[in-house]
Amino acid sequence: MMRAAPAWRDRAAISSVYREAKRITLETGILHHVDHIYPIKGLLSCGLHVHQNLRVLEASENIAKSNTHPLGESPALEGMTDLEIRLFIDSMV
């Protein structure tokens, strides 16, 4: 993850997101995670470890999401399986 954390990142803002996840977990009793919207090791692209790429999700949602990418919800890829998307990406390289 450190390679995905640029020098210009706002460490205080990142810490704030992690504190928020902990606060929500304690308040609700439901485990929450900090999710990278654009995964650090995504199939279509790689995101950065910056506060703009972080959000708080219920742990179950985050685990189900796995390394999916927002483009995975793109109409252009609608109906394609993960394997079909991978083969499509590989054919472009």
Side-chain angles (χ1 to χ4, degrees):
M1 185 172 330
M2 288 312 297
R3 283 193 276 171
W8 48 263
R9 68 192 181 276
D10 184 339
R11 291 181 174 150
I14 291 170
S15 292
S16 175
V17 177
Y18 282 89
R19 281 192 307 274
E20 181 67 3
K22 186 175 183 177
R23 183 193 67 75
I24 293 172
T25 295
L26 292 171
E27 186 175 291
T28 65
I30 299 168
L31 182 61
H32 283 71
H33 287 172
V34 174
D35 171 57
H36 289 88
I37 299 165
Y38 289 87
I40 298 295
K41 294 182 180 180
L43 175 63
L44 299 175
S45 69
C46 296
L48 295 175
H49 186 63
V50 294
H51 73 279
Q52 297 94 329
N53 190 36
L54 300 176
R55 65 180 171 183
V56 176
L57 285 180
E58 282 189 18
S60 59
E61 284 183 73
N62 192 35
I63 292 166
K65 175 185 172 281
S66 186
N67 264 2
T68 59
H69 185 283
L71 289 180
E73 300 168 6
S74 168
L77 302 177
E78 189 174 329
M80 293 176 74
T81 66
D82 287 345
L83 177 59
E84 290 170 327
I85 293 171
R86 284 190 187 114
L87 292 172
F88 174 72
I89 300 297
D90 288 346
S91 73
M92 298 174 64
V93 180

